[in-house]
Amino acid sequence: MRRWNFISGLTVILLLLLVLCGFCVWTARTLSGEINQMISGNFDTLRALRGIRLAVSRIDAQYRSSTSTGEIPRALGLYELARTDVEQHLRLVRRTSSEEPEEVKVVARLEALVRDYFTYYDEYLALGRFEGDRFKALTRNLAQSAAEITEATAVLSDMNERDVLQRRSQATAKGQRVVYAALGIALFSIGIYVWTSIRLTRAIFDPLRQLRDSIVKVSQRQFDVAVPVKSGDELAQIATTFNTMASELRAYVAETDQRVVEANRVSRAILEALPYPIYIVDDSFAVRLMNPRAEQLSAALEIPGAVPGAVRRAIDDAAAIGGELIGDDLHRAVEVALPAATGTPATFLPQVFRMAGAAGVNEGWAVLLIDVTKLRQFDLAKSKALSIIGHEVKTPVTSIRMTLHLLLEEKIGALTADQRELVQAGRDDCERLLTVLQALLELARFESGRVTMRLVPVPPGDLLAQADAMHGDYLRRLGVAIVMEPTAPTLPAVQADAIHVVRVLGNFLTNAAKYGAPDQPVTLRAELRADAFVRLSVRNRTPRPLTEAEQTKVFEPFYRREGEGSEGTGLGLTICREIAAAHSGRVGVWASGDWVDFYLDLRIVSVSQNHAAGQPTS
Amino acid sequence: MPPDNPLPDPPPAPAPRVLVVDDEASVRLGCVLALRSDGWDATGEGSSRAALERLTTRAEHYDVLVLDYAMPGLNGLELIAALDPKTRPPILLASAHADGAVACAALKLGVWDFLAKPLMPEELRRRVRRLLTRRHDAKAPGAWLARALGHCQNCAWDDALRELDTWPESERQQPAYLVTGLIHQMTEGQEPAAAAFKRAQWWPGWETQGAEIWQELARRLG
């Protein structure tokens, strides 16, 4: 419909313009034809009348005015020529003159006068002399005829000039009429244009405005909108499409809402069913959500609706390492002291999850407090039991050892050779058993968190040097050289308890000497890692490369590689791992071909810690 | 010809007496045998209460006491606390597990010598010998540290500090600063303690480090 309106409006305008153009062309052509005919007719007539007058004057001047010779000129060439000229002009006048009766009458009179004029002239030329009565009479007649011819031509000239003026007036009037007609058609076209424009504007912009308003509503999540469809044109198609889209969107949103509600219900059910407190907080520790267990915990701590300090500290720790804090490392467990009336202290292992938004921006934290009170109690009980059992076993072992040492001193009595050999074997076994016991007890102390590190800033190069100084001789006695790579002077200091770190490096070095390729040096090196750690590593060649599976197990307690002897406690690397954990560091091993690389990563000292260098850290 | 009336040999000096108190019979016997084989007059006692009776009621004299920490009834520290610090002999405390609290309590009781178990005969002899030697050394001029440690053994902290203060600064040996710091720390003088520890290049984790304090003391005191 809108298209028909548009096309019909344009067609009417086009037709009107065509009519206007045609009318103008026709009018111009008509006027130019009339003017041309009028001008050419009148002009020919006027020229012919002037020619007649000139010819008559020439004849009179040649044959009647010169009387000095007394004889009329005998040469008649000019006369004949002028006469022919007059007759031709007369014919032209007759042909071009109008058919107005008055003009027809004047032309007839002019023809009669010309005829009389030449009749008189023929007779006059036949006289031969300017004398006699006849000559006088003919002279009078000729003068009168010439005067009358001149008068008649003048009359005809006036008539033609009047005719020209009249036709000009007519042309002017006709031109004005054409102008008025063109103006009328133009005005009519403008009217049609305005009318069409208004119709079109309403037809196009009103639906567009409705569409826009509907889109705004949809953007404001008001999906129950519909754009009216009034016709079948493109706008209607757009409106139909929009309505379909809005309808689908409404259905989708309803479905999504349903899913969200469902997911929310499931999440809430999970949160409520979980036996552990969960806190969901924003960056400023304001609680956004907590499950009933968390509400109970906060209430028990007499901070209803707020986050316990342990949770804030766990989030702070996670933020410090720029990520999440998850895992089952019981070293991270925190004890929450509940009011005496509420119950005994509880131990929780916080799991901190970072909640990132669409753009990766941190939008808060979810903290799950796994209740490890019992696990911790079991762990402590295990450590305690291990400790007690260890001591119970260790005590007699140490006394046996002391006894054997005393016997071997032979200060309280001499031994036979066989007795000495037997006692020596017993002492060696005793030493080995005691070493294992001590390692087990030490591991138990580490696991129970009873070992604290005295962390102070130490240059990594010093740690390598100390390890070399303490263990170099032992390796050299085994024929193994230590190559210490120079450390970069810009290498930052690390937080370390030097005694324990040197012990770890010593363990790596002695392992390298024991299990490495003979006559191959061991390399000690320190390098900066990108993640704020310095890596201290011991690198050497080995005749039996570590497999992938072995690399994952070497730090486990009592792990021994197949085919290896039972020397050592099997706990050395496990204790190294505990020492690393007590430094908030890490240990690991890489193997590539026959190269093996044991490393200890220690945290570098921050600027603020550097300023406080010299102060111990536990 | 031998002289007719040779001078008689001087009576042998009585062997120093050591009382070993340990509830573990085998350890006790080992210690006693190790010390006896070194010329000590060593006696073993398996009960801390019986040992207390020997030292107080029966007023038996000993030059050195070797005490186990973990014992039923009175433990080593409780036994020490029951003795008069001014008259008791020097004490060597032996333990398999000394934590910070034990070390702190022992130092406050004037026990500055510790031996980690398991015991080795030679180390036991050396440490007992050192205790006795220190007592003899304390009489010599210039033995400020030995005298100060003697005062510490008697819990006479002011006397110990005064003794250390009389030690000329130019001759003062580094262990003096460690001892000074520990005395200040026990007597609530935290600032002078910190200053002394700084000079001793020692940053103790008081109440947290046990064996480390003992080891450091033993190492620095020789």
Side-chain angles (χ1 to χ4, degrees):
Chain A
M1 185 66 189
R2 286 183 192 86
R3 188 193 293 171
W4 172 245
N5 283 345
F6 181 67
I7 292 173
S8 61
L10 285 181
T11 307
V12 169
I13 292 170
L14 183 66
L15 286 175
L16 284 170
L17 288 174
L18 285 174
V19 168
L20 182 61
C21 283
F23 177 68
C24 289
V25 168
W26 173 78
T27 307
R29 282 180 64 87
T30 306
L31 277 175
S32 69
E34 284 180 1
I35 290 168
N36 184 43
Q37 187 182 2
M38 177 189 75
I39 289 173
S40 62
N42 289 96
F43 179 76
D44 290 345
T45 304
L46 289 172
R47 195 175 60 181
L49 290 171
R50 193 179 62 189
I52 290 170
R53 281 197 301 274
L54 287 174
V56 170
S57 299
R58 280 200 306 270
I59 292 170
D60 283 347
Q62 183 67 32
Y63 297 100
R64 275 200 311 118
S65 304
S66 178
T67 56
S68 56
T69 58
E71 290 183 357
I72 295 171
R74 296 288 179 189
L76 297 180
L78 181 64
Y79 171 73
E80 292 297 332
L81 194 63
R83 183 174 180 168
T84 304
D85 200 14
V86 168
E87 285 170 353
Q88 282 178 347
H89 284 127
L90 193 58
R91 281 196 295 275
L92 185 62
V93 168
R94 194 184 304 123
R95 195 171 63 247
T96 59
S97 63
S98 70
E99 293 178 357
E100 292 290 326
E102 192 178 352
E103 191 173 345
V104 171
K105 195 188 293 179
V106 175
V107 170
R109 184 167 171 264
L110 180 62
E111 285 175 338
L113 285 171
V114 168
R115 191 167 54 246
D116 290 345
Y117 177 75
F118 282 112
T119 304
Y120 291 141
Y121 239 110
D122 288 341
E123 189 178 350
Y124 173 78
L125 292 173
L127 287 178
R129 298 192 58 87
F130 298 114
E131 58 186 9
D133 293 337
R134 190 55 191 166
F135 168 74
K136 292 177 182 174
L138 282 172
T139 302
R140 271 195 312 275
N141 290 340
L142 282 172
Q144 189 176 350
S145 290
E148 285 178 352
I149 285 170
T150 302
E151 185 187 348
T153 55
V155 169
L156 276 174
S157 293
D158 289 345
M159 291 177 81
N160 271 281
E161 284 171 0
R162 274 200 307 275
D163 190 38
V164 167
L165 289 174
Q166 187 181 356
R167 283 176 187 266
R168 190 187 72 176
S169 300
Q170 286 174 350
T172 303
K174 201 169 188 175
Q176 277 183 339
R177 283 198 302 275
V178 169
V179 168
Y180 291 146
L183 280 175
I185 291 171
L187 283 174
F188 188 66
S189 299
I190 289 169
I192 293 290
Y193 168 78
V194 170
W195 177 78
T196 306
S197 298
I198 291 170
R199 289 290 306 272
L200 276 175
T201 303
R202 282 184 181 170
I204 292 172
F205 286 103
D206 285 354
L208 281 179
R209 196 174 296 115
Q210 287 175 338
L211 194 60
R212 183 200 62 190
D213 294 344
S214 299
I215 289 171
V216 169
K217 284 182 180 173
V218 167
S219 71
Q220 293 166 347
R221 299 184 66 81
Q222 298 175 20
F223 300 112
D224 51 346
V225 293
V227 180
V229 181
K230 293 180 179 171
S231 59
D233 57 9
E234 285 81 356
L235 279 174
Q237 289 172 7
I238 291 173
T240 307
T241 306
F242 174 82
N243 287 340
T244 307
M245 186 191 73
S247 170
E248 287 177 0
L249 204 54
R250 189 162 51 239
Y252 173 75
V253 167
E255 189 182 346
T256 306
D257 283 349
Q258 183 63 28
R259 281 185 190 169
V260 168
V261 167
E262 190 66 27
N264 201 19
R265 196 177 294 135
V266 170
S267 301
R268 182 156 284 280
I270 292 171
L271 284 177
E272 290 181 1
L274 265 178
Y276 304 129
I278 294 179
Y279 292 88
I280 295 175
V281 300
D282 62 17
D283 263 348
S284 54
F285 301 128
V287 175
R288 284 157 57 179
L289 186 67
M290 57 166 72
N291 69 345
R293 293 279 177 175
E295 287 167 2
Q296 287 169 11
L297 177 63
S298 292
L301 291 169
E302 297 172 352
I303 50 164
V307 183
V311 172
R312 294 200 304 273
R313 191 163 58 246
I315 292 172
D316 204 38
D317 289 346
I321 60 170
E324 299 183 334
L325 208 58
I326 53 178
D328 55 1
D329 181 5
L330 282 180
H331 291 104
R332 292 196 299 105
V334 289
E335 194 172 271
V336 176
L338 296 168
T342 313
T344 53
T347 306
F348 295 105
L349 182 61
Q351 307 287 314
V352 185
F353 304 92
R354 183 168 163 266
M355 298 196 299
V361 180
N362 191 25
E363 291 187 345
W365 304 87
V367 182
L368 167 69
L369 294 179
I370 299 177
D371 189 348
V372 292
T373 308
K374 285 197 171 136
L375 194 61
R376 184 71 176 157
Q377 285 168 353
F378 290 151
D379 194 53
L380 288 175
K382 180 205 79 178
S383 297
K384 193 171 179 181
L386 195 60
S387 179
I388 291 170
I389 293 167
H391 282 111
E392 290 304 313
V393 176
K394 190 179 161 189
T395 304
V397 170
T398 53
S399 65
I400 293 167
R401 174 174 173 257
M402 190 171 185
T403 304
L404 296 173
H405 274 276
L406 275 170
L407 287 173
L408 283 172
E409 283 178 355
E410 299 189 37
K411 286 188 176 179
I412 55 173
L415 298 174
T416 65
D418 290 344
Q419 287 170 341
R420 188 179 302 108
E421 191 178 351
L422 267 175
V423 174
Q424 277 175 345
R427 183 200 59 186
D428 292 345
D429 282 348
C430 209
E431 292 288 355
R432 198 153 55 83
L433 180 57
L434 200 58
T435 308
V436 172
L437 273 176
Q438 282 176 323
L440 259 180
L441 289 171
E442 188 172 20
L443 186 59
R445 284 203 305 136
F446 271 110
E447 286 180 344
S448 64
R450 283 187 285 134
V451 181
T452 51
M453 297 287 123
R454 198 157 58 91
L455 300 178
V456 291
V458 187
D462 289 5
L463 295 169
L464 297 187
Q466 285 184 43
D468 184 26
M470 287 194 68
H471 302 280
D473 285 345
Y474 172 74
L475 264 72
R476 278 185 280 278
R477 278 200 299 277
L478 295 174
V480 177
I482 294 182
V483 176
M484 190 144 71
E485 286 191 2
T487 52
T490 54
L491 207 56
V494 291
Q495 290 282 65
D497 182 324
I499 293 172
H500 286 96
V501 169
V502 168
R503 186 173 163 197
V504 172
L505 293 175
N507 196 299
F508 293 167
L509 284 170
T510 49
N511 279 349
K514 277 189 215 167
Y515 308 116
D519 305 324
Q520 289 287 331
V522 177
T523 305
L524 261 174
R525 62 193 294 189
E527 59 185 329
L528 182 63
R529 308 289 300 174
D531 50 357
F533 280 92
V534 166
R535 173 162 294 181
L536 310 176
S537 59
V538 173
R539 181 177 164 83
N540 67 299
R541 284 180 184 277
T542 173
R544 287 186 58 206
L546 285 171
T547 64
E548 288 288 339
E550 287 168 341
Q551 289 174 44
T552 62
K553 291 178 183 169
V554 286
F555 289 96
E556 297 301 317
F558 300 113
Y559 174 75
R560 290 182 192 285
R561 297 177 72 192
E562 199 177 328
E564 259 176 16
S566 58
E567 57 182 308
T569 62
L571 293 168
L573 287 177
T574 311
I575 292 173
C576 289
R577 187 177 64 186
E578 293 296 326
I579 291 174
H583 279 80
S584 301
R586 59 201 179 203
V587 286
V589 60
W590 290 111
S592 172
D594 59 349
W595 284 101
V596 63
D597 208 338
F598 278 88
Y599 62 83
L600 166 66
D601 287 349
L602 296 173
R603 288 185 184 278
I604 63 172
V605 180
S606 66
V607 176
S608 57
Q609 287 170 323
N610 259 331
H611 287 160
Q615 296 300 315
T617 312
S618 293
Chain B
M1 194 175 164
D4 292 335
N5 193 12
L7 287 172
D9 290 337
R17 300 192 70 201
V18 180
L19 178 63
V20 178
V21 186
D22 197 315
D23 60 316
E24 289 291 332
S26 57
V27 176
R28 187 171 67 242
L29 179 60
C31 290
V32 167
L33 289 176
L35 291 169
R36 281 182 185 165
S37 65
D38 203 35
W40 296 81
D41 178 5
T43 306
E45 182 56 70
S47 157
S48 52
R49 291 198 183 280
L52 181 63
E53 191 182 343
R54 278 173 181 267
L55 293 166
T56 53
T57 312
R58 289 154 57 180
E60 292 181 4
H61 169 76
Y62 293 97
D63 295 290
V64 175
L65 287 183
V66 177
L67 299 183
D68 184 29
Y69 166 69
M71 288 188 292
L74 296 176
N75 67 26
L77 291 181
E78 288 165 336
L79 173 57
I80 295 165
L83 300 174
D84 181 0
K86 298 198 183 304
T87 57
R88 72 188 181 197
I91 297 167
L92 179 62
L93 186 69
S95 176
H97 43 85
D99 58 18
V102 174
C104 177
L107 286 172
K108 283 180 176 172
L109 288 169
V111 179
W112 287 50
D113 287 275
F114 172 82
L115 193 56
K117 282 186 169 181
L119 302 175
M120 292 293 281
E122 196 48 49
E123 180 66 9
L124 174 68
R125 292 179 191 125
R126 193 180 73 79
R127 299 294 295 278
V128 171
R129 206 180 298 132
R130 194 180 74 179
L131 272 176
L132 208 60
T133 310
R134 192 187 293 158
R135 173 177 279 189
H136 288 295
D137 286 351
K139 293 171 185 167
W144 293 283
L145 186 59
R147 279 196 293 277
L149 288 170
H151 291 309
C152 288
Q153 184 189 307
N154 297 330
C155 297
W157 311 116
D158 292 340
D159 293 341
L161 285 177
R162 205 174 301 118
E163 190 65 45
L164 289 167
D165 281 343
T166 57
W167 197 347
E169 185 81 26
S170 57
E171 297 176 28
R172 201 174 296 182
Q173 293 164 8
Q174 206 200 32
Y177 298 114
L178 180 58
V179 174
T180 307
L182 286 171
I183 294 172
H184 280 308
Q185 188 151 28
M186 285 187 297
T187 54
E188 309 298 329
Q190 296 300 328
E191 284 187 18
F197 285 141
K198 194 172 180 183
R199 298 196 68 170
Q201 296 185 323
W202 165 252
W203 299 274
W206 192 256
E207 306 283 358
T208 57
Q209 298 184 32
E212 287 83 357
I213 292 177
W214 292 114
Q215 283 167 10
E216 194 65 17
L217 258 178
R219 191 176 68 79
R220 298 204 186 196
L221 298 179

